[in-house]
């Protein structure tokens, strides 16, 4: 078991290191080279992340690896590489909202198995979800009106933004720019 854990950790850090060399999304270049922080709280696992994931003009591999662990599929425990631009989108949203409150994570990465199960239960879950690609997160911020979070996500224009007022979350992804409302 010790070897397997060591191997997983090595793969995760190696993948994060590879991501750190990727160019940031064009829209994120407006963020500049200033340090960027993500503040996350996974409501299902209780895991938290509050660290700088980008500094000195590059992504910080260890910080990305830890943030990705917090966004794992809580139903299966599976982890997946999350697109660094997703963290940039969350940072930009927090900056726009002028808050340092954590994003409460409803859903981050979804394994194909989890996504298929959810899709079978609800037409509101896309069969080819950005969640399965590590490009999406469903969030809310405690004490903040959901309409404000929704507007900030739309203003950032990082990708898709779904508004789910009845379920009390906003979907943010780094796919193509689009918008929709659900329940």
């Amino acid at each position: 078991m010790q070897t397997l854990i060591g191997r997983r950790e090595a793969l995760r850090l190696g993948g994060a290191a590879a991501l750190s060399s990727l160019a940031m999304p064009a829209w994120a270049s407006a963020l500049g080279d200033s340090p960027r922080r993500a503040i996350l709280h996974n409501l299902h696992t209780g895991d938290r992340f509050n660290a700088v994931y980008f500094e000195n003009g590059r992504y910080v591999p260890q910080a990305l690896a830890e943030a990705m662990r917090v966004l794992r599929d809580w139903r299966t425990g599976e982890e997946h590489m999350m697109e660094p631009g997703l963290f940039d989108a969350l940072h930009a949203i927090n900056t726009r909202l002028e808050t340092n409150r954590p994003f409460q994570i409803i859903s981050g990465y979804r394994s194909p198995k989890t996504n298929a199960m959810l899709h079978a239960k609800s037409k509101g879950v896309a069969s080819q979800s950005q969640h399965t690609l590590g490009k999406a997160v469903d969030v809310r911020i405690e004490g903040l009106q959901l309409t404000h979070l929704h507007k900030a996500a739309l203003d950032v224009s990082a990708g898709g933004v779904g508004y789910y007022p009845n379920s009390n979350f906003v979907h943010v992804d780094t796919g193509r720019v689009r918008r929709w409302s659900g329940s």
Side-chain angles (χ1 to χ4, degrees):
M1 190 71 151
Q2 184 79 323
T3 306
L4 182 58
I5 292 170
R7 207 175 290 155
R8 281 186 189 157
E9 184 67 16
L11 287 172
R12 183 171 58 198
L13 289 175
L19 285 176
S20 71
S21 65
L22 294 176
M24 72 182 86
W27 65 267
S29 63
L31 298 174
D33 285 341
S34 300
R36 300 177 200 159
R37 175 177 297 276
I39 308 171
L40 312 171
H41 175 212
N42 188 314
L43 295 177
H44 301 286
T45 64
D47 292 334
R48 293 178 180 269
F49 176 83
N50 181 351
V52 171
Y53 67 89
F54 181 94
E55 64 183 345
N56 300 321
R58 62 187 264 298
Y59 294 104
V60 179
Q62 293 82 2
L64 284 177
E66 182 59 25
M68 291 174 197
R69 186 186 67 75
V70 172
L71 294 181
R72 71 187 177 279
D73 183 332
W74 61 271
R75 290 173 180 89
T76 66
E78 290 179 56
E79 293 179 273
H80 189 275
M81 298 307 297
M82 302 299 287
E83 184 173 307
L86 184 60
F87 299 109
D88 292 334
L90 294 176
H91 173 79
I93 292 167
N94 250 0
T95 300
R96 185 169 289 279
L97 292 169
E98 298 180 342
T99 183
N100 60 359
R101 292 186 214 152
F103 283 100
Q104 295 181 324
I105 307 301
I106 310 304
S107 182
Y109 170 68
R110 284 191 208 141
S111 68
K113 179 180 177 181
T114 294
N115 200 70
M117 179 269 298
L118 293 173
H119 177 69
K121 289 182 177 181
S122 170
K123 293 180 188 227
V125 175
S127 61
Q128 301 297 315
S129 172
Q130 296 290 310
H131 288 276
T132 65
L133 303 174
K135 295 182 171 188
V137 66
D138 297 335
V139 295
R140 65 179 172 234
I141 297 175
E142 186 175 12
L144 182 76
Q145 287 184 10
L146 200 63
T147 54
H148 295 297
L149 176 57
H150 179 236
K151 181 179 180 340
L154 289 172
D155 289 348
V156 167
S157 297
V161 176
Y163 181 56
Y164 295 86
N166 293 340
S167 300
N168 193 28
F169 70 84
V170 172
H171 168 98
V172 176
D173 72 48
T174 57
R176 64 184 170 76
V177 175
R178 63 213 187 287
R179 67 171 70 179
W180 66 94
S181 257
S183 54

